Amino acid sequence: MDITIRRGMPADARLLADLAASTFREAFAVENRPEDMALHVSRAYGVSQQEAELANPEITTLLAEVDGQLAGYGQLRANATPDCVRGVAPLELWRFYVASPWHGRGIAHALMKGVEMEARAREAHTLWLGVWERNERAKAFYRKCGFAEVGSQVFVLGTDAQTDRIMVRLLPNEPRHV
């Protein structure tokens, strides 16, 4: 299995929009109201939104491909940092998803290594993220990757205010290679 991690380009907007919407639904549809899911997906994962994000210099999108097929993605962005994040030069790991057929096959770990390399290239020393408090699978993965919970923030899914746990990881001093 050949895993490639690469930067997203504007030409990837349609593929990314499809993957982003489907992985978000896979992760959260079962436990949320359909109308809230539909509203959130329409606002966050359309082709035009992905085109704008791919063109935004404050957002870096990394795509994970397996034998040329899109399997996952991660997005880093410069964003307002919650008070509970105290590390130096923080950068948000805004989105991180792997499609369910690829779970348990090493794609998430390869993608996380790519995220770390990109964060270091952007001179970050701290990665932080918000993860839904009820997403135990994701929280366990992030703990395996060295993240620790430091606080919480509100995430609005459609019209439903939910609680995200804030997790932080300090990046090592020396760069790691993918």
Side-chain angles (χ1 to χ4, degrees):
M1 185 169 73
D2 182 28
I3 303 171
T4 302
I5 307 299
R6 67 171 179 87
R7 278 180 173 256
M9 300 175 293
D12 296 311
R14 181 162 301 284
L15 280 175
L16 180 57
D18 291 344
L19 179 70
S22 68
T23 55
F24 192 84
R25 284 187 186 103
E26 284 175 355
F28 305 113
V30 171
E31 296 189 53
N32 287 284
R33 293 187 309 249
E35 58 274 17
D36 285 325
M37 288 295 298
L39 182 57
H40 180 77
V41 168
S42 72
R43 289 178 177 166
Y45 300 122
V47 174
S48 62
Q49 291 97 329
Q50 297 315 302
E51 287 172 344
E53 290 169 10
L54 288 163
N56 184 336
E58 296 296 315
I59 299 172
T60 301
T61 300
L62 297 178
L63 304 179
E65 296 177 330
V66 179
D67 300 325
Q69 182 180 354
L70 190 57
Y73 75 105
Q75 289 180 312
L76 292 160
R77 72 174 176 177
N79 194 26
T81 305
D83 290 341
C84 60
V85 175
R86 303 203 188 281
V88 176
L91 186 64
E92 182 182 13
L93 176 51
W94 181 30
R95 296 176 178 148
F96 190 93
Y97 292 93
V98 173
S100 60
W102 301 104
H103 288 180
R105 299 174 71 184
I107 286 90
H109 288 285
L111 184 56
M112 187 59 78
K113 286 180 186 177
V115 161
E116 179 182 304
M117 287 180 58
E118 181 61 31
R120 293 190 58 66
R122 290 180 62 169
E123 300 183 356
H125 295 278
T126 306
L127 275 178
W128 70 274
L129 59 87
V131 58
W132 191 26
E133 66 182 343
R134 293 167 44 188
N135 191 342
E136 297 302 326
R137 180 185 179 96
K139 289 192 301 185
F141 171 75
Y142 295 133
R143 282 192 294 271
K144 271 189 193 178
C145 293
F147 286 86
E149 290 186 30
V150 296
S152 63
Q153 68 182 6
V154 173
F155 177 84
V156 179
L157 178 78
T159 61
D160 184 21
Q162 300 181 352
T163 302
D164 274 2
R165 301 299 302 157
I166 302 297
M167 298 182 82
V168 171
R169 174 181 175 211
L170 301 180
L171 296 172
N173 290 329
E174 66 284 342
R176 291 171 62 184
H177 302 284
V178 175

